[in-house]
C-alpha cells in the first residue's frame, strides 16, 4: 500500500512538472527575454550562427558545452536561460548540462525563424 501510494505521488509530481513546462510557450519566453528577465542561448554551429541569429542571443556552441570548454560566466543563475538550436535536440542536451551546473535552463524546440514569429527580434 505504501509503495503504491509513493508511486502514485511520484507519477503525479512528474505530470505536474511536465505540464508546467508545457504551458510555457515561446511567446512567453520572448516576453521575458525582451523585458530583460531571461536570456536566450543559441547552441548552433558557427556556420548556423553566421547565417542568422536572434538579436539578444548569446552564442555558446553545443560542442563547447559538451566538452566542458563553454564560458558560462556570461549567464545569470537568477533568471531563466532559454536554449535553442535548429530543431530542439541540441538545445535539450545543452540545457540538461546547464541545469547540472545550476542554471534554470529551458530548451525551446524551435529554430530562429519560428522564434522570430513568436516575438524574438532577429539580429540586424
Amino acid at each position: 500500500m505504501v509503495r503504491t501510494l509513493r508511486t502514485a505521488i511520484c507519477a503525479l509530481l512528474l505530470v505536474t512538472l511536465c505540464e508546467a513546462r508545457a504551458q510555457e510557450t515561446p511567446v512567453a519566453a520572448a516576453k521575458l527575454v525582451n523585458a530583460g528577465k531571461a536570456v536566450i542561448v543559441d547552441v548552433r554551429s558557427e556556420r548556423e550562427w553566421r547565417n542568422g541569429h536572434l538579436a539578444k542571443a548569446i552564442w555558446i556552441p553545443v560542442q563547447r558545452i559538451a566538452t566542458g570548454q563553454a564560458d558560462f560566466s556570461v549567464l545569470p543563475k537568477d533568471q531563466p536561460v532559454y536554449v535553442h538550436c535548429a530543431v530542439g535536440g541540441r538545445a535539450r542536451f545543452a540545457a540538461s548540462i546547464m541545469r547540472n551546473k545550476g542554471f534554470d535552463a529551458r530548451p525551446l524546440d524551435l529554430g530562429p525563424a519560428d522564434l522570430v514569429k513568436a516575438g524574438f527580434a532577429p539580429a540586424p
Side-chain angles (χ1 to χ4, degrees):
M1 168 104 167
V2 172
R3 188 176 192 178
T4 304
L5 181 59
R6 205 175 335 173
T7 302
I9 291 171
C10 287
L12 179 61
L13 287 173
L14 182 61
V15 168
T16 302
L17 288 172
C18 290
E19 286 175 359
R21 285 293 164 112
Q23 291 173 357
E24 188 170 47
T25 66
V27 172
K31 287 179 183 178
L32 287 174
V33 170
N34 292 335
K37 296 179 180 179
V39 297
I40 184 141
V41 174
D42 187 331
V43 298
R44 297 175 305 145
S45 70
E46 182 176 5
R47 180 180 51 78
E48 290 171 300
W49 171 264
R50 287 186 181 178
N51 283 337
H53 56 274
L54 303 175
K56 294 189 175 189
I58 299 167
W59 181 55
I60 305 176
V62 72
Q63 293 84 356
R64 289 188 189 151
I65 294 170
T67 59
Q69 298 173 337
D71 178 12
F72 292 121
S73 67
V74 297
L75 301 179
K77 286 201 172 181
D78 62 342
Q79 294 181 345
V81 176
Y82 293 98
V83 184
H84 89 89
C85 60
V87 179
R90 291 176 287 177
R92 286 188 296 277
F93 173 73
S96 70
I97 292 172
M98 294 167 76
R99 279 193 300 273
N100 286 336
K101 296 193 175 291
F103 294 96
D104 180 9
R106 305 173 186 187
L108 296 171
D109 290 340
L110 298 175
D114 289 324
L115 290 173
V116 168
K117 290 177 188 174
F120 287 91

